[in-house]
Amino acid sequence: MAKKTTTAPTMKDVAAEAGVALGTVSKVFNHIPVGEEYRLRVEEAARKLGYQVNSYARGLKTNKTNTVALIWPNLRHPFFASLSDAIIGTLMKRGYRTIVTITNYDSTAEQQCIDLVRQNKVDGIIALTYNPNLEVDPQLPFVSIDRHFRAEIPCVASDNFGGGQLAAQKLLELGCQKLLFLRQGSNVAGEADKRRMGFEAVCRERQVEFESLYLPNEAGFAPFEAFLASHTHDGAFDYDGIFCNTDRLCYEIQKRLELLGLRVPQDVQMIGFDGIQRFDSDDYYCSTIVQPIPQMAQTAVDLLLSTDRSSLPALICLPVRYQPGGTTRDCL
C-alpha cells in the first residue's frame, strides 16, 4: 500500500477554512489593515491548519525581506538597550525581524556594518552612528538616531535643548544658586550637544553663575575627580546644583562627591539625562530628564517604513519631561 503524502497548507486552504476571500488572507499576512473579525478568523484558521508564511519565498517575489538592521555603539548603556528593545518590539508588530550589530564607537566598523547588512538585503537601517562621513546607499531607507548628518536622512531625537533648559530651571526652582554642567561623550557633533546649550541659555537669561566642563569619552573619570577635589574646600563644594549630560555620568559623579564627604541632595543637588530606571524597578537612578523611548521607537519605525520618502522631515524632536529620582530635594 502506497504511503500517503501530505502537503503543507496554502493560503487558499486558510481562506477556505476562515470563510474569507484569498485577498483578505493576503492582507492579514502582509500586515495590511482589515476588519478585526476577519483578522481573527484568518489567524485562527492559520493556527488550526498549521500554516506558516514562507518569508524567504515571499521576499524573492517582492524583493523584500521584512528585515531591518539596527546599528548601535553598544548595548551595555541602558539607554541604548532600552531603545533597541522598543524598536525591535515596534518592528515585530509590523511583521519585521531585526538584525542588531554593535560597533563599539568605531567609525570604520560602522561603515563595515553598513556594507554587511546591505549584502544581507535588509529593507532598511536604523542607526546611532559616530561617523559623519558614513556612506549610505541613497536607495536604502535609513533613519538616524541623535545624529543629523545628511539632509535626505531623517533624524529622530528627543528635545535635547529643551531638556537642558528644563534641568537648569528645575535646579534654580529647588534653590540652587551656582550651577555646574558636566558632560562626557563623543567628539562627533550630535543632537545631545544641545543639552549644554539649553542649560547655559537659561543660566545666562537668569544671570546665574555657572561653569561647564565637557570631556571626551576616552578621557575617563580622572579629570572629573581632579575637578571635584579642586572645588571642595573644608567639606563644602563650590557648586550647589549639577546637571550631567547622562544618568550614567550623574551616577558616577555622585559616588565621587560622596567620597569627598559631600551629601546628595542635601549639599549638592543633581539632575541627569536619559530616564534610566533601576533593574526590575520603577525607581530611577537619579533625578533625570526622561527621553520618550516608546515614541522615539515608533517614530523611527514609521519614518523607515514610510512608502513616500520624498518629503520626510530632516529632524524630529520629541518632548522630554523631568522626573525626580533621589538626587534633588523634591525627593526628600
Side-chain angles (χ1 to χ4, degrees):
M1 181 177 180
K3 187 177 181 179
K4 184 179 180 180
T5 59
T6 59
T7 58
T10 66
M11 287 179 61
K12 288 183 179 179
D13 296 328
V14 174
E17 178 68 28
V20 300
L22 181 60
T24 301
V25 176
S26 177
K27 287 181 179 179
V28 171
F29 292 147
N30 284 285
H31 305 279
I32 298 172
V34 298
E36 183 68 7
E37 178 186 350
Y38 291 112
R39 182 182 66 80
L40 293 174
R41 283 162 59 180
V42 169
E43 290 177 349
E44 176 59 29
R47 280 193 293 269
K48 182 176 179 181
L49 297 175
Y51 176 81
Q52 292 184 330
V53 177
N54 188 333
S55 299
Y56 178 76
R58 185 169 67 183
L60 291 176
K61 293 179 180 179
T62 63
N63 200 30
K64 289 185 62 179
T65 62
N66 278 59
T67 302
V68 169
L70 288 189
I71 300 178
W72 239 236
N74 64 61
L75 291 179
R76 298 187 305 275
H77 193 295
F79 174 72
F80 297 156
S82 297
L83 184 55
S84 297
D85 183 73
I87 291 174
I88 292 169
T90 304
L91 285 166
M92 285 180 63
K93 293 177 181 178
R94 302 282 290 269
Y96 282 78
R97 297 165 300 200
T98 311
I99 298 173
V100 182
T101 60
I102 304 300
T103 64
N104 286 319
Y105 301 94
D106 185 331
S107 59
T108 301
E110 289 182 6
Q111 188 62 61
Q112 291 172 344
C113 285
I114 293 287
D115 297 339
L116 177 64
V117 297
R118 282 180 60 196
Q119 294 173 23
N120 287 328
K121 305 295 184 182
V122 298
D123 297 334
I125 298 173
I126 299 175
L128 201 167
T129 77
Y130 290 83
N131 182 354
N133 301 313
L134 203 64
E135 295 181 9
V136 180
D137 183 351
Q139 301 304 313
L140 182 65
F142 191 104
V143 173
S144 176
I145 302 293
D146 270 349
R147 193 89 52 210
H148 179 59
F149 63 93
R150 200 169 304 164
E152 66 272 18
I153 294 178
C155 174
V156 177
S158 62
D159 184 1
N160 290 279
F161 188 88
Q165 289 180 306
L166 184 56
Q169 291 164 355
K170 183 57 65 174
L171 288 170
L172 294 174
E173 176 187 314
L174 293 171
C176 297
Q177 298 179 341
K178 189 173 181 181
L179 303 185
L180 174 65
F181 172 78
L182 298 177
R183 179 262 195 192
Q184 186 179 54
S186 169
N187 287 321
V188 179
E191 287 297 308
D193 296 333
K194 295 179 181 178
R195 299 171 191 177
R196 173 180 64 86
M197 298 176 188
F199 174 85
E200 292 183 351
V202 169
C203 291
R204 292 191 179 98
E205 179 186 351
R206 303 279 188 91
Q207 297 184 330
V208 174
E209 189 175 355
F210 74 95
E211 186 169 354
S212 297
L213 175 64
Y214 30 102
L215 300 171
N217 286 321
E218 54 268 24
F221 292 106
F224 287 119
E225 293 169 355
F227 178 89
L228 298 176
S230 68
H231 286 275
T232 302
H233 312 283
D234 299 322
F237 193 53
D238 289 342
Y239 308 90
D240 54 5
I242 303 177
F243 172 44
C244 296
N245 76 314
T246 66
D247 290 346
R248 161 82 191 288
L249 182 59
C250 189
Y251 174 75
E252 295 292 345
I253 295 299
Q254 180 182 357
K255 290 193 299 182
R256 286 158 174 79
L257 287 172
E258 290 172 348
L259 288 174
L260 293 169
L262 298 165
R263 300 170 302 163
V264 177
Q266 292 87 346
D267 301 323
V268 185
Q269 299 188 73
M270 302 182 67
I271 295 177
F273 198 109
D274 278 336
I276 302 304
Q277 292 176 294
R278 294 181 182 275
F279 177 71
D280 197 26
S281 170
D282 292 331
D283 296 333
Y284 290 80
Y285 275 99
C286 59
S287 297
T288 182
I289 305 301
V290 180
Q291 297 205 62
I293 289 177
Q295 292 88 345
M296 292 178 73
Q298 185 66 58
T299 302
V301 170
D302 287 345
L303 289 171
L304 190 78
L305 303 184
S306 173
T307 54
D308 180 10
R309 308 194 63 78
S310 61
S311 58
L312 295 180
L315 175 64
I316 293 182
C317 284
L318 298 170
V320 296
R321 64 180 178 86
Y322 168 73
Q323 173 67 46
T327 55
T328 47
R329 291 179 191 162
D330 49 357
C331 300
L332 295 177

